[in-house]
Amino acid sequence: MKTDQRYIQPHNVNEAMTLIQKLFNEYRHAPLTDVLLKYHNNLIYRLKSDIYKAAEQENNSQQLSDLNQMIQIMEAWTKIRLNNQPFEGKMKNFKLVTNNSPKFKRHLHKIKGPLNHQASRH
């Protein structure tokens, strides 16, 4: 039995960044505990150390800028949460996305005829 089955081994930098982004979005609203803070700081350390070195080896400037932006977002999360403030937004495509825009409800009504034809009223 392999011992590495418990851990996910990303094959490249983009896969590692996507995995960390997914994990961050899962716990971003969780209550702040010592365990969560230690876990979060470990993810930041991984981004700054081995993932950053691998990104430099791949020599992709867009990926390096995304990685730096991701590190800044995660460090900002730490500061905001340590001040007992709610963290608004989530990470999408390695950028912070806030949903401050209003959402409009769509009311569908069926037009007489086949079920496929529906119109939206605003």
Side-chain angles (χ1 to χ4, degrees), residues 6-66:
R6 184 175 149 200
Y7 301 104
I8 297 173
Q9 301 275 329
H11 300 293
N12 58 22
V13 175
N14 190 31
E15 191 175 319
M17 288 170 61
T18 305
L19 179 64
I20 290 176
Q21 173 180 270
K22 180 181 162 221
L23 292 170
F24 174 77
N25 284 334
E26 287 179 8
Y27 70 75
R28 71 184 193 274
H29 293 305
L32 191 62
T33 61
D34 289 338
V35 175
L36 179 62
L37 191 59
K38 185 184 273 188
Y39 179 77
H40 179 74
N41 287 333
N42 183 31
L43 289 178
I44 292 175
Y45 172 75
R46 296 296 301 248
L47 285 172
K48 287 181 175 179
S49 60
D50 50 344
I51 295 174
Y52 196 85
K53 289 176 189 171
E56 286 177 334
Q57 288 176 354
E58 288 184 11
N59 201 17
N60 186 343
S61 61
Q62 177 64 37
Q63 197 169 48
L64 279 171
S65 67
D66 287 346

Side-chain angles (χ1 to χ4, degrees), residues 106-112 115 117-122:
R106 290 180 55 209
H107 299 285
L108 294 175
H109 70 282
K110 294 180 183 176
I111 301 173
K112 291 180 183 176
L115 295 174
H117 299 288
Q118 293 182 342
S120 65
R121 298 170 122 180
H122 298 281

